[in-house]
Amino acid sequence: QSVLTQPPSASGTPGQRVTISCSGSSSNIGSNTVNWYQQLPGTAPKLLIYSNNQRPSGVPDRFSGSKSGTSASLAISGLQSEDEADYYCAAWDDSLNAPVFGGGTKLTVL
Amino acid sequence: QVQLVQSGAEVKKPGASVKVSCKASGYTFTSYGISWVRQAPGQGLEWMGWISAYNGNTNYAQKLQGRVTMTTDTSTSTAYMELRSLRSDDTAVYYCARDPPNWGYGMDVWGQGTTVTVSS
């Protein structure tokens, strides 16, 4: 049981916009920033969004992040087949004094 | 280019120990920390702990306290993670990741992963 809650799966067709949610509590998302990671099949995770809504160099602007209260969201616009991957949210948890991950969302491009 | 290169796959018996290395290049090693994250087969990401490459300070996940030790060798820009008293549920891919000392910037560079299999 992960501290942060994500839907196990999401799907969309090419060109569509999809969002993935991440729900936490006052000790993690409610008081700290959220990072998002993309993990393509068989590869290491890759930082996609940091500090709620910042994109590292090289990440397309089709990817965007937002946070409100104790929840965060990752939005992917103009969905492409290569976006098919697992997506994880992460936040620092003040109670655990540790970062916590969501359980991951498997995105399927139909 | 900035990269982390990990040691090769390991097969261990229950009760044994494993030590995984993570060699950094392309950046000032002591300006960052290293987090270790593992992923059991078909499962999500689990943070194991963090070490400062600047001063060796550590922060371990509560569930691994007493079984895990993280160290660094600044002369070779290499981080190490040792896990003792291995059990079958320690079977996983172990990743190292560059992780700044302050939360918010994300684990921005990852190693390729090291598969550790625990089996009798």
Side-chain angles (χ1 to χ4, degrees):
Chain A
Q1 193 79 355
S2 302
V3 174
L4 304 181
T5 301
Q6 298 180 234
S9 63
S11 63
T13 56
Q16 206 173 18
R17 182 178 187 270
V18 298
T19 61
I20 296 171
S21 62
C22 175
S23 177
S25 67
S26 58
S27 65
N28 41 66
I29 294 178
S31 49
N32 296 291
T33 57
V34 177
N35 303 325
W36 289 90
Y37 298 88
Q38 177 193 57
Q39 187 176 32
L40 297 170
T43 69
K46 168 190 169 185
L47 180 64
L48 199 62
I49 297 287
Y50 67 96
S51 197
N52 300 331
N53 54 19
Q54 302 300 302
R55 284 186 308 277
S57 173
V59 173
D61 60 6
R62 302 187 296 105
F63 295 91
S64 62
S66 63
K67 188 187 100 166
S68 178
T70 58
S71 293
S73 291
L74 172 70
I76 309 171
S77 60
L79 197 62
Q80 300 179 3
S81 58
E82 55 261 41
D83 298 333
E84 193 160 281
D86 294 323
Y87 293 85
Y88 295 90
C89 59
W92 184 265
D93 192 292
D94 292 332
S95 298
L96 298 173
N97 193 38
V100 289
F101 286 97
T105 297
K106 183 175 184 61
L107 175 64
T108 301
V109 180
L110 302 169
Chain B
Q1 74 280 24
V2 177
Q3 62 177 353
L4 299 174
V5 178
Q6 298 183 222
S7 48
E10 303 264 13
V11 179
K12 297 292 182 180
K13 294 193 182 305
S17 299
V18 69
K19 191 170 186 177
V20 179
S21 68
C22 170
K23 183 171 177 58
S25 61
Y27 71 96
T28 302
F29 183 63
T30 52
S31 294
Y32 292 82
I34 294 287
S35 268
W36 289 88
V37 176
R38 68 179 180 178
Q39 186 171 36
Q43 302 301 307
L45 304 175
E46 178 188 12
W47 179 80
M48 300 177 66
W50 176 88
I51 182 166
S52 166
Y54 173 71
N55 58 16
N57 285 350
T58 55
N59 180 19
Y60 299 140
Q62 193 170 9
K63 70 175 284 188
L64 296 174
Q65 288 272 4
R67 284 210 301 139
V68 68
T69 301
M70 296 176 187
T71 56
T72 59
D73 181 346
T74 56
S75 69
T76 60
S77 299
T78 303
Y80 298 92
M81 185 283 299
E82 181 180 33
L83 189 60
R84 300 176 292 278
S85 301
L86 289 168
R87 309 186 291 243
S88 59
D89 62 357
D90 291 317
T91 293
V93 177
Y94 289 74
Y95 295 102
C96 62
R98 188 175 78 165
D99 193 3
N102 298 312
W103 179 259
Y105 298 97
M107 301 173 200
D108 66 342
V109 181
W110 292 67
Q112 82 276 20
T114 296
T115 299
V116 175
T117 303
V118 182
S119 174
S120 54

